[in-house]
Structures are given as C-alpha cells and as structure tokens.
mmCIF file of all heavy atoms in Angstrom:
data_model
loop_
_atom_site.group_PDB
_atom_site.id
_atom_site.type_symbol
_atom_site.label_atom_id
_atom_site.label_comp_id
_atom_site.label_asym_id
_atom_site.label_seq_id
_atom_site.Cartn_x
_atom_site.Cartn_y
_atom_site.Cartn_z
ATOM 1 N N SER A 199 0.842 -1.195 0.000
ATOM 2 C CA SER A 199 0.000 0.000 0.000
ATOM 3 C C SER A 199 0.876 1.243 0.000
ATOM 4 O O SER A 199 2.031 1.200 0.458
ATOM 5 C CB SER A 199 -0.907 0.015 1.239
ATOM 6 O OG SER A 199 -0.157 0.333 2.400
ATOM 7 N N PRO A 200 0.370 2.375 -0.512
ATOM 8 C CA PRO A 200 1.165 3.616 -0.499
ATOM 9 C C PRO A 200 1.643 3.995 0.903
ATOM 10 O O PRO A 200 2.790 4.410 1.083
ATOM 11 C CB PRO A 200 0.203 4.653 -1.073
ATOM 12 C CG PRO A 200 -0.700 3.868 -1.972
ATOM 13 C CD PRO A 200 -0.892 2.558 -1.247
ATOM 14 N N ARG A 201 0.786 3.865 1.909
ATOM 15 C CA ARG A 201 1.178 4.210 3.286
ATOM 16 C C ARG A 201 2.313 3.310 3.771
ATOM 17 O O ARG A 201 3.303 3.789 4.331
ATOM 18 C CB ARG A 201 -0.041 4.108 4.201
ATOM 19 C CG ARG A 201 0.246 4.491 5.644
ATOM 20 C CD ARG A 201 -1.034 4.399 6.491
ATOM 21 N NE ARG A 201 -0.776 4.596 7.883
ATOM 22 C CZ ARG A 201 -0.741 5.771 8.495
ATOM 23 N NH1 ARG A 201 -0.983 6.877 7.816
ATOM 24 N NH2 ARG A 201 -0.490 5.845 9.782
ATOM 25 N N ASN A 202 2.186 2.004 3.560
ATOM 26 C CA ASN A 202 3.246 1.086 3.973
ATOM 27 C C ASN A 202 4.535 1.340 3.196
ATOM 28 O O ASN A 202 5.628 1.206 3.736
ATOM 29 C CB ASN A 202 2.802 -0.361 3.809
ATOM 30 C CG ASN A 202 1.771 -0.759 4.849
ATOM 31 O OD1 ASN A 202 1.602 -0.103 5.873
ATOM 32 N ND2 ASN A 202 1.046 -1.836 4.575
ATOM 33 N N TYR A 203 4.399 1.704 1.934
ATOM 34 C CA TYR A 203 5.549 2.003 1.077
ATOM 35 C C TYR A 203 6.378 3.155 1.650
ATOM 36 O O TYR A 203 7.585 3.024 1.844
ATOM 37 C CB TYR A 203 5.043 2.329 -0.335
ATOM 38 C CG TYR A 203 6.047 2.958 -1.258
ATOM 39 C CD1 TYR A 203 7.120 2.238 -1.764
ATOM 40 C CD2 TYR A 203 5.913 4.288 -1.641
ATOM 41 C CE1 TYR A 203 8.036 2.820 -2.625
ATOM 42 C CE2 TYR A 203 6.822 4.879 -2.502
ATOM 43 C CZ TYR A 203 7.882 4.145 -2.989
ATOM 44 O OH TYR A 203 8.800 4.735 -3.840
ATOM 45 N N VAL A 204 5.737 4.302 1.942
ATOM 46 C CA VAL A 204 6.506 5.452 2.433
ATOM 47 C C VAL A 204 7.045 5.202 3.834
ATOM 48 O O VAL A 204 8.149 5.666 4.170
ATOM 49 C CB VAL A 204 5.707 6.779 2.361
ATOM 50 C CG1 VAL A 204 5.413 7.152 0.916
ATOM 51 C CG2 VAL A 204 4.446 6.751 3.200
ATOM 52 N N MET A 205 6.322 4.453 4.656
ATOM 53 C CA MET A 205 6.829 4.140 5.998
ATOM 54 C C MET A 205 8.032 3.195 5.908
ATOM 55 O O MET A 205 9.003 3.344 6.650
ATOM 56 C CB MET A 205 5.715 3.573 6.876
ATOM 57 C CG MET A 205 4.675 4.622 7.224
ATOM 58 S SD MET A 205 3.454 4.202 8.505
ATOM 59 C CE MET A 205 3.120 2.495 8.303
ATOM 60 N N ARG A 206 7.984 2.240 4.992
ATOM 61 C CA ARG A 206 9.131 1.327 4.806
ATOM 62 C C ARG A 206 10.368 2.101 4.348
ATOM 63 O O ARG A 206 11.463 1.913 4.879
ATOM 64 C CB ARG A 206 8.794 0.234 3.785
ATOM 65 C CG ARG A 206 10.001 -0.686 3.485
ATOM 66 C CD ARG A 206 9.669 -1.766 2.484
ATOM 67 N NE ARG A 206 9.181 -1.309 1.208
ATOM 68 C CZ ARG A 206 9.947 -0.884 0.195
ATOM 69 N NH1 ARG A 206 11.265 -0.833 0.330
ATOM 70 N NH2 ARG A 206 9.402 -0.517 -0.955
ATOM 71 N N LEU A 207 10.184 2.998 3.365
ATOM 72 C CA LEU A 207 11.334 3.767 2.875
ATOM 73 C C LEU A 207 11.890 4.682 3.961
ATOM 74 O O LEU A 207 13.116 4.824 4.088
ATOM 75 C CB LEU A 207 10.959 4.568 1.632
ATOM 76 C CG LEU A 207 10.668 3.747 0.373
ATOM 77 C CD1 LEU A 207 10.387 4.666 -0.814
ATOM 78 C CD2 LEU A 207 11.804 2.801 0.041
ATOM 79 N N ALA A 208 11.021 5.308 4.753
ATOM 80 C CA ALA A 208 11.486 6.161 5.853
ATOM 81 C C ALA A 208 12.311 5.338 6.842
ATOM 82 O O ALA A 208 13.380 5.764 7.302
ATOM 83 C CB ALA A 208 10.289 6.814 6.550
ATOM 84 N N ARG A 209 11.825 4.132 7.160
ATOM 85 C CA ARG A 209 12.542 3.244 8.082
ATOM 86 C C ARG A 209 13.899 2.843 7.491
ATOM 87 O O ARG A 209 14.915 2.851 8.192
ATOM 88 C CB ARG A 209 11.701 1.999 8.369
ATOM 89 C CG ARG A 209 12.296 1.078 9.425
ATOM 90 C CD ARG A 209 11.453 -0.185 9.682
ATOM 91 N NE ARG A 209 10.054 0.077 9.937
ATOM 92 C CZ ARG A 209 9.052 -0.150 9.062
ATOM 93 N NH1 ARG A 209 9.309 -0.642 7.859
ATOM 94 N NH2 ARG A 209 7.807 0.097 9.383
ATOM 95 N N GLU A 210 13.917 2.504 6.203
ATOM 96 C CA GLU A 210 15.182 2.102 5.575
ATOM 97 C C GLU A 210 16.175 3.257 5.544
ATOM 98 O O GLU A 210 17.375 3.057 5.770
ATOM 99 C CB GLU A 210 14.921 1.579 4.159
ATOM 100 C CG GLU A 210 14.259 0.214 4.151
ATOM 101 C CD GLU A 210 13.966 -0.315 2.749
ATOM 102 O OE1 GLU A 210 14.406 0.291 1.753
ATOM 103 O OE2 GLU A 210 13.276 -1.343 2.645
ATOM 104 N N LYS A 211 15.701 4.460 5.272
ATOM 105 C CA LYS A 211 16.599 5.630 5.265
ATOM 106 C C LYS A 211 17.167 5.884 6.655
ATOM 107 O O LYS A 211 18.366 6.133 6.805
ATOM 108 C CB LYS A 211 15.856 6.869 4.760
ATOM 109 C CG LYS A 211 15.562 6.825 3.273
ATOM 110 C CD LYS A 211 14.762 8.046 2.835
ATOM 111 C CE LYS A 211 14.450 7.984 1.345
ATOM 112 N NZ LYS A 211 13.721 9.196 0.895
ATOM 113 N N ALA A 212 16.304 5.839 7.671
ATOM 114 C CA ALA A 212 16.771 6.068 9.042
ATOM 115 C C ALA A 212 17.730 4.970 9.492
ATOM 116 O O ALA A 212 18.720 5.247 10.175
ATOM 117 C CB ALA A 212 15.577 6.162 9.996
ATOM 118 N N SER A 213 17.463 3.742 9.100
ATOM 119 C CA SER A 213 18.304 2.608 9.499
ATOM 120 C C SER A 213 19.655 2.614 8.806
ATOM 121 O O SER A 213 20.603 1.978 9.284
ATOM 122 C CB SER A 213 17.581 1.289 9.207
ATOM 123 O OG SER A 213 16.392 1.201 9.953
ATOM 124 N N ALA A 214 19.762 3.324 7.698
ATOM 125 C CA ALA A 214 21.011 3.354 6.938
ATOM 126 C C ALA A 214 22.076 4.231 7.591
ATOM 127 O O ALA A 214 23.234 4.195 7.199
ATOM 128 C CB ALA A 214 20.741 3.850 5.512
ATOM 129 N N ILE A 215 21.681 4.998 8.601
ATOM 130 C CA ILE A 215 22.615 5.902 9.264
ATOM 131 C C ILE A 215 22.968 5.338 10.638
ATOM 132 O O ILE A 215 22.100 5.182 11.494
ATOM 133 C CB ILE A 215 21.981 7.312 9.444
ATOM 134 C CG1 ILE A 215 21.492 7.873 8.104
ATOM 135 C CG2 ILE A 215 22.936 8.256 10.137
ATOM 136 C CD1 ILE A 215 22.580 8.123 7.096
ATOM 137 N N ALA A 216 24.251 5.050 10.838
ATOM 138 C CA ALA A 216 24.712 4.555 12.139
ATOM 139 C C ALA A 216 24.970 5.760 13.042
ATOM 140 O O ALA A 216 25.689 6.684 12.668
ATOM 141 C CB ALA A 216 25.991 3.745 11.958
ATOM 142 N N VAL A 217 24.353 5.746 14.216
ATOM 143 C CA VAL A 217 24.521 6.874 15.143
ATOM 144 C C VAL A 217 24.768 6.366 16.550
ATOM 145 O O VAL A 217 24.447 5.224 16.891
ATOM 146 C CB VAL A 217 23.282 7.802 15.153
ATOM 147 C CG1 VAL A 217 23.073 8.441 13.802
ATOM 148 C CG2 VAL A 217 22.047 7.075 15.597
ATOM 149 N N ASP A 218 25.303 7.259 17.386
ATOM 150 C CA ASP A 218 25.465 6.902 18.790
ATOM 151 C C ASP A 218 24.148 7.157 19.523
ATOM 152 O O ASP A 218 23.242 7.796 18.984
ATOM 153 C CB ASP A 218 26.651 7.664 19.407
ATOM 154 C CG ASP A 218 26.413 9.155 19.494
ATOM 155 O OD1 ASP A 218 25.361 9.571 20.026
ATOM 156 O OD2 ASP A 218 27.291 9.931 19.055
ATOM 157 N N PRO A 219 23.998 6.637 20.721
ATOM 158 C CA PRO A 219 22.718 6.710 21.440
ATOM 159 C C PRO A 219 22.240 8.128 21.761
ATOM 160 O O PRO A 219 21.088 8.332 22.105
ATOM 161 C CB PRO A 219 22.980 5.935 22.739
ATOM 162 C CG PRO A 219 24.199 5.131 22.487
ATOM 163 C CD PRO A 219 24.984 5.840 21.432
ATOM 164 N N ARG A 220 23.106 9.106 21.684
ATOM 165 C CA ARG A 220 22.694 10.486 21.976
ATOM 166 C C ARG A 220 22.025 11.153 20.784
ATOM 167 O O ARG A 220 21.628 12.297 20.864
ATOM 168 C CB ARG A 220 23.907 11.310 22.407
ATOM 169 C CG ARG A 220 24.540 10.834 23.697
ATOM 170 C CD ARG A 220 25.762 11.642 23.993
ATOM 171 N NE ARG A 220 26.649 11.625 22.842
ATOM 172 C CZ ARG A 220 27.923 11.237 22.879
ATOM 173 N NH1 ARG A 220 28.460 10.844 23.995
ATOM 174 N NH2 ARG A 220 28.662 11.252 21.786
ATOM 175 N N ARG A 221 21.900 10.432 19.700
ATOM 176 C CA ARG A 221 21.305 11.006 18.492
ATOM 177 C C ARG A 221 20.043 10.261 18.091
ATOM 178 O O ARG A 221 19.883 9.077 18.362
ATOM 179 C CB ARG A 221 22.294 10.991 17.336
ATOM 180 C CG ARG A 221 23.453 11.935 17.564
ATOM 181 C CD ARG A 221 24.259 12.115 16.334
ATOM 182 N NE ARG A 221 25.255 13.164 16.564
ATOM 183 C CZ ARG A 221 26.056 13.614 15.641
ATOM 184 N NH1 ARG A 221 26.016 13.124 14.420
ATOM 185 N NH2 ARG A 221 26.920 14.557 15.911
ATOM 186 N N ILE A 222 19.166 10.994 17.396
ATOM 187 C CA ILE A 222 17.971 10.417 16.787
ATOM 188 C C ILE A 222 18.061 10.689 15.296
ATOM 189 O O ILE A 222 18.344 11.819 14.884
ATOM 190 C CB ILE A 222 16.682 11.054 17.349
ATOM 191 C CG1 ILE A 222 16.523 10.730 18.832
ATOM 192 C CG2 ILE A 222 15.460 10.561 16.574
ATOM 193 C CD1 ILE A 222 15.333 11.412 19.485
ATOM 194 N N VAL A 223 17.844 9.664 14.505
ATOM 195 C CA VAL A 223 17.865 9.817 13.052
ATOM 196 C C VAL A 223 16.429 9.957 12.560
ATOM 197 O O VAL A 223 15.558 9.174 12.947
ATOM 198 C CB VAL A 223 18.541 8.610 12.363
ATOM 199 C CG1 VAL A 223 18.521 8.793 10.839
ATOM 200 C CG2 VAL A 223 19.968 8.444 12.853
ATOM 201 N N LEU A 224 16.197 10.943 11.715
ATOM 202 C CA LEU A 224 14.898 11.149 11.089
ATOM 203 C C LEU A 224 14.992 10.768 9.623
ATOM 204 O O LEU A 224 15.735 11.391 8.866
ATOM 205 C CB LEU A 224 14.455 12.610 11.213
ATOM 206 C CG LEU A 224 13.237 13.043 10.374
ATOM 207 C CD1 LEU A 224 11.988 12.237 10.743
ATOM 208 C CD2 LEU A 224 12.995 14.540 10.529
ATOM 209 N N GLY A 225 14.265 9.730 9.245
ATOM 210 C CA GLY A 225 14.128 9.344 7.844
ATOM 211 C C GLY A 225 12.729 9.699 7.384
ATOM 212 O O GLY A 225 11.781 9.630 8.168
ATOM 213 N N ALA A 226 12.588 10.104 6.138
ATOM 214 C CA ALA A 226 11.267 10.465 5.609
ATOM 215 C C ALA A 226 11.202 10.136 4.127
ATOM 216 O O ALA A 226 12.217 10.160 3.424
ATOM 217 C CB ALA A 226 10.989 11.955 5.825
ATOM 218 N N ASP A 227 10.002 9.833 3.681
ATOM 219 C CA ASP A 227 9.775 9.630 2.252
ATOM 220 C C ASP A 227 8.343 10.045 1.929
ATOM 221 O O ASP A 227 7.424 9.785 2.704
ATOM 222 C CB ASP A 227 9.992 8.173 1.845
ATOM 223 C CG ASP A 227 10.128 8.065 0.333
ATOM 224 O OD1 ASP A 227 11.213 8.383 -0.187
ATOM 225 O OD2 ASP A 227 9.134 7.703 -0.321
ATOM 226 N N THR A 228 8.178 10.689 0.778
ATOM 227 C CA THR A 228 6.881 11.225 0.371
ATOM 228 C C THR A 228 6.469 10.625 -0.964
ATOM 229 O O THR A 228 7.297 10.477 -1.869
ATOM 230 C CB THR A 228 6.948 12.763 0.235
ATOM 231 O OG1 THR A 228 7.344 13.313 1.496
ATOM 232 C CG2 THR A 228 5.611 13.355 -0.178
ATOM 233 N N ALA A 229 5.186 10.316 -1.076
ATOM 234 C CA ALA A 229 4.624 9.841 -2.349
ATOM 235 C C ALA A 229 3.316 10.573 -2.604
ATOM 236 O O ALA A 229 2.575 10.909 -1.680
ATOM 237 C CB ALA A 229 4.377 8.342 -2.313
ATOM 238 N N VAL A 230 3.069 10.808 -3.866
ATOM 239 C CA VAL A 230 1.784 11.345 -4.317
ATOM 240 C C VAL A 230 1.007 10.151 -4.861
ATOM 241 O O VAL A 230 1.557 9.327 -5.591
ATOM 242 C CB VAL A 230 2.002 12.426 -5.401
ATOM 243 C CG1 VAL A 230 0.683 12.855 -6.024
ATOM 244 C CG2 VAL A 230 2.735 13.626 -4.805
ATOM 245 N N VAL A 231 -0.265 10.062 -4.473
ATOM 246 C CA VAL A 231 -1.076 8.908 -4.857
ATOM 247 C C VAL A 231 -2.355 9.390 -5.528
ATOM 248 O O VAL A 231 -3.070 10.232 -4.979
ATOM 249 C CB VAL A 231 -1.441 8.046 -3.618
ATOM 250 C CG1 VAL A 231 -2.245 6.832 -4.027
ATOM 251 C CG2 VAL A 231 -0.189 7.643 -2.854
ATOM 252 N N VAL A 232 -2.620 8.866 -6.723
ATOM 253 C CA VAL A 232 -3.862 9.180 -7.424
ATOM 254 C C VAL A 232 -4.440 7.864 -7.940
ATOM 255 O O VAL A 232 -3.737 7.073 -8.573
ATOM 256 C CB VAL A 232 -3.656 10.219 -8.553
ATOM 257 C CG1 VAL A 232 -2.708 9.734 -9.626
ATOM 258 C CG2 VAL A 232 -4.962 10.672 -9.148
ATOM 259 N N GLU A 233 -5.672 7.614 -7.580
ATOM 260 C CA GLU A 233 -6.361 6.372 -7.943
ATOM 261 C C GLU A 233 -5.525 5.135 -7.641
ATOM 262 O O GLU A 233 -5.450 4.198 -8.435
ATOM 263 C CB GLU A 233 -6.771 6.401 -9.418
ATOM 264 C CG GLU A 233 -7.859 7.418 -9.714
ATOM 265 C CD GLU A 233 -8.396 7.304 -11.130
ATOM 266 O OE1 GLU A 233 -7.951 6.440 -11.904
ATOM 267 O OE2 GLU A 233 -9.291 8.103 -11.442
ATOM 268 N N GLY A 234 -4.859 5.142 -6.480
ATOM 269 C CA GLY A 234 -4.061 3.994 -6.054
ATOM 270 C C GLY A 234 -2.675 3.924 -6.658
ATOM 271 O O GLY A 234 -1.867 3.095 -6.248
ATOM 272 N N GLU A 235 -2.369 4.767 -7.645
ATOM 273 C CA GLU A 235 -1.039 4.749 -8.267
ATOM 274 C C GLU A 235 -0.094 5.658 -7.505
ATOM 275 O O GLU A 235 -0.403 6.827 -7.248
ATOM 276 C CB GLU A 235 -1.108 5.213 -9.724
ATOM 277 C CG GLU A 235 0.239 5.176 -10.415
ATOM 278 C CD GLU A 235 0.223 5.666 -11.863
ATOM 279 O OE1 GLU A 235 -0.863 5.872 -12.422
ATOM 280 O OE2 GLU A 235 1.330 5.846 -12.424
ATOM 281 N N ILE A 236 1.062 5.112 -7.133
ATOM 282 C CA ILE A 236 2.098 5.883 -6.449
ATOM 283 C C ILE A 236 2.899 6.640 -7.493
ATOM 284 O O ILE A 236 3.462 6.042 -8.419
ATOM 285 C CB ILE A 236 3.027 4.960 -5.632
ATOM 286 C CG1 ILE A 236 2.240 4.242 -4.537
ATOM 287 C CG2 ILE A 236 4.190 5.761 -5.051
ATOM 288 C CD1 ILE A 236 3.018 3.151 -3.830
ATOM 289 N N LEU A 237 2.932 7.972 -7.341
ATOM 290 C CA LEU A 237 3.718 8.810 -8.242
ATOM 291 C C LEU A 237 4.957 9.279 -7.494
ATOM 292 O O LEU A 237 4.864 10.114 -6.594
ATOM 293 C CB LEU A 237 2.903 10.023 -8.711
ATOM 294 C CG LEU A 237 1.558 9.746 -9.394
ATOM 295 C CD1 LEU A 237 0.896 11.057 -9.797
ATOM 296 C CD2 LEU A 237 1.737 8.837 -10.592
ATOM 297 N N GLY A 238 6.086 8.763 -7.867
ATOM 298 C CA GLY A 238 7.349 9.205 -7.274
ATOM 299 C C GLY A 238 7.887 10.387 -8.057
ATOM 300 O O GLY A 238 7.135 11.153 -8.672
ATOM 301 N N LYS A 239 9.194 10.523 -8.075
ATOM 302 C CA LYS A 239 9.821 11.577 -8.867
ATOM 303 C C LYS A 239 9.794 11.150 -10.330
ATOM 304 O O LYS A 239 10.044 9.988 -10.648
ATOM 305 C CB LYS A 239 11.257 11.804 -8.418
ATOM 306 C CG LYS A 239 11.349 12.335 -7.004
ATOM 307 C CD LYS A 239 12.785 12.444 -6.539
ATOM 308 C CE LYS A 239 12.832 12.887 -5.096
ATOM 309 N NZ LYS A 239 14.202 12.874 -4.562
ATOM 310 N N PRO A 240 9.491 12.080 -11.235
ATOM 311 C CA PRO A 240 9.435 11.703 -12.651
ATOM 312 C C PRO A 240 10.808 11.308 -13.187
ATOM 313 O O PRO A 240 11.823 11.876 -12.802
ATOM 314 C CB PRO A 240 8.902 12.953 -13.341
ATOM 315 C CG PRO A 240 9.163 14.076 -12.402
ATOM 316 C CD PRO A 240 9.177 13.494 -11.019
ATOM 317 N N SER A 241 10.804 10.345 -14.085
ATOM 318 C CA SER A 241 12.055 9.868 -14.680
ATOM 319 C C SER A 241 12.455 10.678 -15.907
ATOM 320 O O SER A 241 13.590 10.587 -16.357
ATOM 321 C CB SER A 241 11.909 8.392 -15.058
ATOM 322 O OG SER A 241 10.836 8.228 -15.979
ATOM 323 N N SER A 242 11.506 11.457 -16.439
ATOM 324 C CA SER A 242 11.768 12.240 -17.649
ATOM 325 C C SER A 242 10.705 13.333 -17.755
ATOM 326 O O SER A 242 9.721 13.336 -17.013
ATOM 327 C CB SER A 242 11.688 11.343 -18.887
ATOM 328 O OG SER A 242 10.351 10.863 -19.038
ATOM 329 N N ALA A 243 10.888 14.227 -18.711
ATOM 330 C CA ALA A 243 9.882 15.270 -18.962
ATOM 331 C C ALA A 243 8.555 14.641 -19.386
ATOM 332 O O ALA A 243 7.480 15.102 -18.971
ATOM 333 C CB ALA A 243 10.388 16.249 -20.023
#
C-alpha cells in the first residue's frame, strides 16, 4: 500500500545511518497517490 511504502522507505533511510545513542535519526519519504497509483519523482519530462 502507499502508506506502507513510504513508511518502509522512511525506516530504511533512518536505518542506513549509524549513530550513537545520543542522536535520533529522522528518515522520511513522500509519495503522491492518485487512484491507487504511487507517483514518485518523474524519470523524464
């Protein structure tokens, strides 16, 4: 689902950064959804 998709990517981005316990990593990902289709960044004009 689009919601699970962006949450998974946010988790993967945050998990990709190794930090010490005094830090919090913020990962985020955004998708535009129309009629169930996830629109990411365009690949071309």
Side-chain angles (χ1 to χ4, degrees):
S199 74
R201 182 178 173 87
N202 288 343
Y203 167 70
V204 295
M205 291 191 324
R206 176 180 57 82
L207 292 183
R209 186 181 309 106
E210 287 179 8
K211 289 177 181 182
S213 298
I215 305 296
V217 297
D218 67 51
R220 296 177 307 235
R221 292 191 173 185
I222 295 175
V223 179
L224 169 60
D227 196 78
T228 301
V230 172
V231 182
V232 61
E233 292 188 0
E235 181 182 350
I236 297 171
L237 304 180
K239 295 175 184 174
S241 59
S242 65

